[in-house]
Amino acid sequence: MAGPVPYARSLQDIYNQDALASQGVRWNHLLSRFQSIYGHQADFVSRSPGRVNIIGEHIDYSLYSVLPMAITADALLAVSTDTKPTKESAFKVQIANVQDAKFPSHEFEIPYDAVDIDATVHEWTNYFKSGLRGALELLRRKHGADFKLKSMQILMDGTVPAGGGLSSSAAFVSASALAVMIANGETEVDKTELTELAIVSERAVGVNSGGMDQSASVFSERGSALFVSFSPKLTARPVYFPKTDPELTFLIAQSFVAADKHVTGPIHYNLRVVECSLAAAYLNAVLNPPGTQLPGDSAPLGISLHGFHETYFALQEHSSATTARKTESEQLEELVRLAEQTLTKEEGYTREEIAAALNISVDELDARFTSRFPVRASRFKLRQRAQHVFGEALRVLRFLDQLEGGHGGASAGGGGTAEYNARLGALLNDTQDSCRDAYECSCPEIDELCAIARRAGSYGSRLTGAGWGGCSVHLVPADRVAAVREAWAAEYYAKMDLTDEQKEAAVVVSRPGNGSAVYLVG
Ligand code: NG1
Ligand code: MG
């Protein structure tokens, strides 16, 4: 799956059959609006989709593998480029949005030496700028520090709902970085490079995120989910679901509870990133020999539960003369127990308690863990967070094993018995329980959507993405889709005051779609 981002010759290369008609209308509109705004034709369109995560929630930033898939909804950037750099010291970006009432146009004169992003102001073009900055850094690594960008005219059309758990941000950042690379003469953009730069770039917008969304957005291939691993390096491969009758579908349902990480980061997302890193440091201090340093890794705070995991078992194997290597699943089972025995404080740990265990001062603790992205907490729930992460990493492996391990899954050429589907579904339901109870990232509305769906025939239902609102995902056989939709309409959406447009967008059946692509106009 590695290699360059593909060029699409037609929309058929990008979208599933069922989306072609509506996408055709949308693309025509985008290109004609571009012409009328800028007075000339766009040169190309860069495209990156949103994603839904099937299983593996809140473990990417602990560097455990996850299983998302790309959806049809995406970010499109129609772009034209001035052939020459404008000025010696700056270049110009004109950027507009098809939804101009909500996302007003901007013109920036950007000095070459500083792409400033004010992450405290939540502005839609910040996502473009962060992709731009990442791309500029990459171009400079390749072509030298005085590489100059060309001026660009851009028109954006995004269909991934913002704050909905489907990763509009990663779609936008990836499409932006891709656009800047293409506009500046990089005709072959390597997928791994693009993903890595999009991951780092997105952190510039104020969220200390993992790398799942950007990987799913860039690498996905039609018809398959994506198994993404982050350690020892970023890799992605397709995973297939069994062909069954009735077909297994994924339904995505919005809760319409807006979850804005930029506002709630200090008590939600960014706090979890800190708690997981602290748990890794604490377990290392207590369980590994004194003075053991965890390897620096690509996790947001440079230290991860996966890094602890690797170090712990490497030391164990080293010190024991006998025993065969444990499988990764066995290791994770052991870690779930170890976390329970070691991290005993249900009520959480204070800064003082953690600093004492790490043998550092509280100031040093703050400097290492909470200075870049501030968090608000008096206690850190290391026990619950570590239990979730190890347990969830294990569920991902079990889910994958169901699909690929000869249990009647795709590779065994069968599957789809009610029993098999129930096993897949149970893993998703367990994820939801763990997200709700141990990780505390669900909300009553998502819990309710899941309960309604299960009663109406979903095999497995859970939140998807960061949580605290946003979207939910449900594994439903095709012959129960209508029943599940009706149940939500009657029992959940009827209570809300929704516009027709919202009602229309509330629930989608999602087929795994393609990742990033470039389309040359004309
Ligand atoms: P959302 O907020 O749904 O895009 C976030 C993170 C992911 C991952 C999930 C939870 C960003 C860009 N993405 O997704 O990396 O940690 O939450 O599994 O912040
Ligand atoms: Mg996001």
Side-chain angles (χ1 to χ4, degrees):
M1 302 195 96
V5 172
Y7 283 80
R9 279 150 302 144
S10 72
L11 296 192
Q12 266 144 335
D13 290 343
I14 298 178
Y15 297 107
N16 288 318
Q17 198 63 34
D18 57 344
L20 281 178
S22 60
Q23 292 300 330
V25 175
R26 177 178 165 232
W27 278 63
N28 285 338
H29 175 70
L30 174 73
L31 293 175
S32 62
R33 273 290 292 281
F34 188 100
Q35 172 85 40
S36 67
I37 293 173
Y38 297 114
H40 57 261
Q41 191 174 275
D43 300 335
F44 68 89
V45 176
S46 81
R47 183 257 175 190
S48 244
R51 63 96 186 94
V52 60
N53 189 17
I54 299 169
I55 194 162
E57 214 61 88
H58 281 281
I59 60 173
D60 59 346
Y61 48 83
S62 291
L63 302 190
Y64 282 105
S65 305
V66 295
L67 191 71
M69 69 188 196
I71 56 177
T72 302
D74 58 13
L76 299 179
L77 265 64
V79 180
S80 66
T81 318
D82 290 354
T83 43
K84 287 210 175 64
T86 354
K87 269 197 213 164
E88 274 306 297
S89 59
F91 63 101
K92 198 157 111 187
V93 173
Q94 292 163 273
I95 182 165
N97 197 302
V98 170
Q99 297 180 56
D100 45 6
K102 221 160 136 193
F103 305 111
S105 306
H106 285 278
E107 237 183 82
F108 307 106
E109 179 115 332
I110 301 181
Y112 283 108
D113 53 1
V115 182
D116 267 335
I117 302 169
D118 183 355
T120 61
V121 185
H122 200 189
E123 219 292 309
W124 75 277
T125 52
N126 276 357
Y127 293 95
F128 172 76
K129 286 188 188 168
S130 76
L132 168 82
R133 180 151 82 186
L136 179 59
E137 279 163 15
L138 182 65
L139 288 163
R140 291 203 167 146
R141 277 202 302 280
K142 286 192 161 164
H143 303 294
D146 56 357
F147 185 88
K148 298 238 174 332
L149 290 180
K150 291 168 184 158
S151 289
M152 300 169 80
Q153 297 80 39
I154 299 161
L155 180 62
M156 148 113 186
D157 184 11
T159 48
V160 191
L166 300 178
S167 228
S168 56
S169 54
F172 191 6
V173 173
S174 309
S176 300
L178 177 59
V180 174
M181 303 283 286
I182 298 287
N184 287 280
E186 294 294 299
T187 49
E188 299 245 299
V189 177
D190 181 70
K191 289 187 209 167
T192 308
E193 275 182 352
L194 175 63
T195 306
E196 282 169 347
L197 91 79
I199 294 171
V200 174
S201 300
E202 199 164 333
R203 295 190 187 140
V205 205
V207 177
N208 217 352
S209 55
M212 159 168 69
D213 307 350
Q214 300 81 356
S215 308
S217 188
V218 173
F219 280 99
S220 287
E221 279 174 15
R222 183 152 49 198
S224 58
L226 194 73
F227 184 67
V228 188
S229 300
F230 303 100
S231 181
K233 60 182 178 48
L234 179 72
T235 56
R237 69 173 175 83
V239 170
Y240 297 89
F241 277 83
K243 294 260 171 297
T244 61
D245 188 19
E247 185 194 0
L248 278 179
T249 70
F250 285 99
L251 275 185
I252 302 174
Q254 292 268 1
S255 67
F256 292 108
V257 176
D260 187 348
K261 284 215 250 9
H262 298 272
V263 178
T264 60
I267 54 164
H268 288 160
Y269 193 91
N270 287 343
L271 176 58
R272 293 295 179 276
V273 175
V274 168
E275 287 176 315
C276 288
S277 311
L278 288 173
Y282 193 100
L283 290 171
N284 178 52
V286 176
L287 294 174
N288 282 333
T292 304
Q293 292 292 321
L294 293 187
D297 61 33
S298 63
L301 293 166
I303 168 178
S304 67
L305 283 165
H306 186 270
F308 161 73
H309 172 161
E310 296 269 278
T311 309
Y312 179 77
F313 287 102
L315 292 169
Q316 296 273 307
E317 274 171 29
H318 189 71
S319 62
S320 83
T322 50
T323 61
R325 270 208 87 163
K326 293 179 177 126
T327 65
E328 203 182 342
S329 297
E330 289 165 346
Q331 294 179 345
L332 285 165
E333 282 162 12
E334 194 173 325
L335 287 172
V336 172
R337 288 194 299 273
L338 270 179
E340 217 171 82
Q341 289 158 10
T342 313
L343 301 164
T344 50
K345 300 193 84 163
E346 286 276 352
E347 69 279 24
Y349 293 74
T350 63
R351 280 180 164 73
E352 288 72 20
E353 286 165 342
I354 301 169
L358 302 191
N359 203 12
I360 57 177
S361 68
V362 170
D363 283 349
E364 205 177 320
L365 183 96
D366 277 330
R368 259 173 66 188
F369 293 93
T370 66
S371 57
R372 206 158 87 89
F373 293 93
V375 298
R376 272 202 313 280
S378 51
R379 284 176 188 278
F380 299 90
K381 293 198 175 173
L382 307 188
R383 173 186 174 84
Q384 294 86 337
R385 309 317 180 216
Q387 277 178 328
H388 168 79
V389 171
F390 295 138
E392 182 71 358
L394 186 55
R395 279 186 286 279
V396 171
L397 296 183
R398 291 189 173 146
F399 199 89
L400 194 69
D401 189 48
Q402 286 296 317
L403 294 179
E404 298 186 326
H407 301 276
S411 53
T417 62
E419 238 176 31
Y420 173 84
N421 295 343
R423 278 201 298 275
L424 285 179
L427 288 164
L428 302 182
N429 290 332
D430 289 348
T431 293
Q432 175 60 20
D433 290 350
S434 180
C435 282
R436 186 192 54 221
D437 302 334
Y439 219 69
E440 297 178 275
C441 63
S442 188
C443 64
E445 292 84 352
I446 294 271
D447 298 339
E448 195 185 343
L449 279 169
C450 292
I452 296 169
R454 288 178 199 137
R455 285 200 295 273
S458 163
Y459 283 115
S461 290
R462 61 177 212 82
L463 67 86
T464 185
W468 295 287
C471 272
S472 55
V473 63
H474 309 264
L475 182 66
V476 182
D479 61 351
R480 303 301 296 171
V481 167
V484 172
R485 277 180 182 274
E486 278 161 29
W488 281 327
E491 297 171 47
Y492 185 82
Y493 295 118
K495 292 185 295 198
M496 307 185 100
D497 190 19
L498 299 179
T499 63
D500 287 347
E501 203 188 324
Q502 283 177 316
K503 280 187 199 144
E504 182 73 21
V507 179
V508 289
V509 178
S510 179
R511 297 211 156 65
N514 275 319
S516 303
V518 181
Y519 175 84
L520 300 177
V521 178

